[in-house]
Amino acid sequence: MRKKIEVLPKLLSAWTVLVLVFLFIPISLVFLHSFNYGGSFTIWSGRASTKWWGELFNGGVMYGVLIRFAVVVVAGVVFARITKRRENFSKRVSSLILPLTFVFAIVLNGLMTEWYRTIFDFAGIGDSIRNSFIAAFGATVIAVLIGGMSGVALARRPGGWTKFFMATVFLILVTPEIMDAIALATWFPRIKAIPVIGIIFSSGWGPFNGGINKLWVGQSLYSSAVVTLIVRARLSGLDEALEEAAADLGAPPGRAFRQITLPLIASAMVAGALLSFALCLDNAVISTLISEAGSTTFPVALLGATRSTIKPFWGVGAVLLFIVTLGALWFLAVILRRGGDSASKIAATFTGS
């Protein structure tokens, strides 16, 4: 019996390793073939080269972006450590230094590179990558606003309506994406005739064309349901005593939410936002049916490129999106860890349980 008990963990460990190897071998091949010297992404030429990276990116501008980003982030880390040693410095403000530094680095580099347009030498792929990030960011903002408020309502105002609402949320999650895409493709032309709203989805507003606005709405559907579950799960496990105490002391509902509830769900909102961003970044089905000229995302452009020989620079773009996704998840784990969450709580936040 003891031998069986000792053998089982080893078998499970070996099985876990095999599963991870099986999952990550294709990803490793994408990294490898992005350095392929030949002109085909799928056929390895036997020689590695960075020429396709050089064709996609403007080397000088790219190095400048990386150096500025590194300098700003390092300065933020040093400043955060200095403020932690000072007793007169607010802990809440100190905890926001790193996220704000990260955002400042992104904005600073964006302003100096025409919002990352000049870092690409290959305009077609560069514009599709930029559109992917713009669409994912806008859809994430919508998802956080809708999903965050929905999660708070489900956790703090339960009632008969919650069953219907939760059924709707799960229906969104299980509905095939192709169904959502076809529905949106038939819905957007119908609302173009509606005053004001129709202009947003036809002519667009500001620097964003109608296709980008469609992508924001379409990609936020699934993400809103994900954020709703994450915020609801986070808030359901927290006692309402603090919020009730604030109400007893005469705090208006808005102030109680701003000073009590919002800090409690901040990590869940960040978790939902980053997961939403990762989900929207590589959305292909909805983007294919509702995107327009000038709003083509990277997955849509890649699907169009499969009709001929796929060049290795498409692998370079895929690697870039993968690195950004991993970076977002790592950033989320750091924020949750700094908030005092254990590994199990971080995993629960990721899964919305």
Side-chain angles (χ1 to χ4, degrees):
M1 186 68 178
R2 290 182 179 178
K3 291 183 179 179
K4 291 183 178 179
I5 294 176
E6 292 176 357
V7 170
L8 183 59
K10 294 181 179 179
L11 289 176
L12 291 176
S13 300
W15 178 254
T16 301
V17 171
L18 289 174
V19 171
L20 291 176
V21 169
F22 176 78
L23 292 175
F24 282 95
I25 280 180
I27 296 175
S28 302
L29 289 176
V30 173
F31 275 85
L32 176 63
H33 282 238
S34 68
F35 293 96
N36 190 10
Y37 181 79
S40 173
F41 174 74
T42 56
I43 302 174
W44 177 250
S45 65
R47 180 181 172 187
S49 172
T50 59
K51 72 171 187 175
W52 298 106
W53 288 78
E55 284 201 17
L56 181 59
F57 295 108
N58 184 329
V61 178
M62 190 65 183
Y63 286 132
V65 168
L66 294 176
I67 291 173
R68 284 191 296 269
F69 194 88
V71 169
V72 172
V73 170
V74 170
V77 171
V78 172
F79 184 66
R81 290 185 177 181
I82 293 174
T83 55
K84 281 186 178 180
R85 297 175 183 176
R86 296 186 178 181
E87 297 180 354
N88 59 343
F89 210 86
S90 172
K91 291 183 178 180
R92 180 178 296 180
V93 174
S94 180
S95 64
L96 292 175
I97 290 176
L98 283 181
L100 291 177
T101 300
F102 190 79
V103 173
F104 175 74
I106 293 175
V107 174
L108 176 64
N109 280 313
L111 292 174
M112 299 183 69
T113 58
E114 297 181 18
W115 293 107
Y116 301 95
R117 186 184 300 275
T118 58
I119 69 173
F120 297 103
D121 267 344
F122 200 118
I125 298 180
D127 287 342
S128 67
I129 293 175
R130 288 180 64 257
N131 288 335
S132 291
F133 282 105
I134 293 172
F137 179 78
T140 296
V141 172
I142 295 174
V144 169
L145 291 176
I146 296 177
M149 297 302 101
S150 300
V152 172
L154 287 168
R156 288 295 184 253
R157 296 293 181 269
W161 69 275
T162 57
K163 295 181 180 180
F164 172 78
F165 195 87
M166 285 300 296
T168 304
V169 171
F170 283 112
L171 181 62
I172 294 173
L173 294 174
V174 302
T175 300
E177 193 173 12
I178 186 64
M179 184 67 179
D180 292 332
I182 294 175
L184 290 170
T186 57
W187 179 62
F188 281 124
R190 294 176 182 272
I191 65 173
K192 284 185 177 180
I194 301 177
V196 182
I197 297 178
I199 296 176
I200 295 176
F201 296 110
S202 57
S203 303
W205 59 278
F208 308 110
N209 59 36
I212 291 294
N213 294 328
K214 291 178 182 179
L215 290 173
W216 286 351
V217 175
Q219 294 184 3
S220 66
L221 290 177
Y222 184 87
S223 301
S224 298
V226 173
V227 176
T228 297
L229 293 182
I230 291 177
V231 174
R232 174 181 176 272
R234 190 74 168 181
L235 200 55
S236 295
L238 300 175
D239 192 5
E240 293 186 57
L242 291 175
E243 297 160 273
E244 293 174 352
D248 292 339
L249 292 174
R255 184 177 180 182
F257 175 81
R258 204 169 51 250
Q259 296 185 352
I260 305 296
T261 307
L262 193 57
L264 292 175
I265 64 172
S267 60
M269 297 280 276
V270 173
L274 294 180
L275 285 176
S276 172
F277 183 81
L279 290 171
C280 295
L281 194 59
D282 64 348
N283 184 282
V285 179
I286 291 178
S287 300
T288 300
L289 289 185
I290 66 175
S291 62
E292 300 176 351
S295 63
T296 302
T297 60
F298 181 78
V300 176
L302 177 57
L303 290 175
T306 57
R307 298 170 185 173
S308 59
T309 302
I310 302 177
K311 299 293 184 181
F313 48 63
W314 291 103
V316 176
V319 169
L320 175 63
L321 296 185
F322 181 73
I323 292 174
V324 170
T325 302
L326 287 185
L329 295 178
W330 170 82
F331 185 64
L332 166 59
V334 170
I335 290 177
L336 295 178
R337 178 67 71 178
R338 287 181 176 273
D341 287 355
S342 62
S344 58
K345 287 185 177 180
I346 292 175
T349 300
F350 275 128
T351 57
S353 58

